[in-house]
Amino acid sequence: VAPNPWGGGPMRLSWPAEVSMERVELTDANGRVLERHFTNGNSLVWENAGLPAGLYFLRFRADDGSGVWRKVV
């Protein structure tokens, strides 16, 4: 995840090519999904949609059901 902290520009997300990613979700500190993107590659450019400064998390969900979280400030 770059850049972190995330400012006003795009955030670039990438993962290994051998991982088949289904979707990436942006959540707030309470776990509420704010945005969701479905993927079909190994990278994604995410624009900041005017979100206020704060603590956010990215939830990556692979096609096999596995997942991982990353903190974004």
Side-chain angles (χ1 to χ4, degrees), residues 11-72:
M11 176 172 39
R12 292 166 302 285
L13 311 173
S14 62
W15 47 88
E18 62 271 9
V19 175
S20 182
M21 197 64 61
E22 176 187 320
R23 67 180 181 268
V24 181
E25 298 171 330
L26 179 72
T27 69
D28 64 14
N30 295 319
R32 183 179 51 187
V33 175
L34 303 174
E35 294 185 36
R36 178 178 291 129
H37 290 275
F38 293 90
T39 67
N40 61 0
N42 69 329
S43 65
L44 175 67
V45 176
W46 203 317
E47 296 293 332
N48 182 338
L51 295 169
L55 179 63
Y56 298 94
F57 294 90
L58 288 169
R59 180 172 30 200
F60 295 86
R61 182 66 62 187
D63 287 342
D64 67 4
S66 63
V68 66
W69 291 84
R70 292 291 181 254
K71 179 174 64 172
V72 180

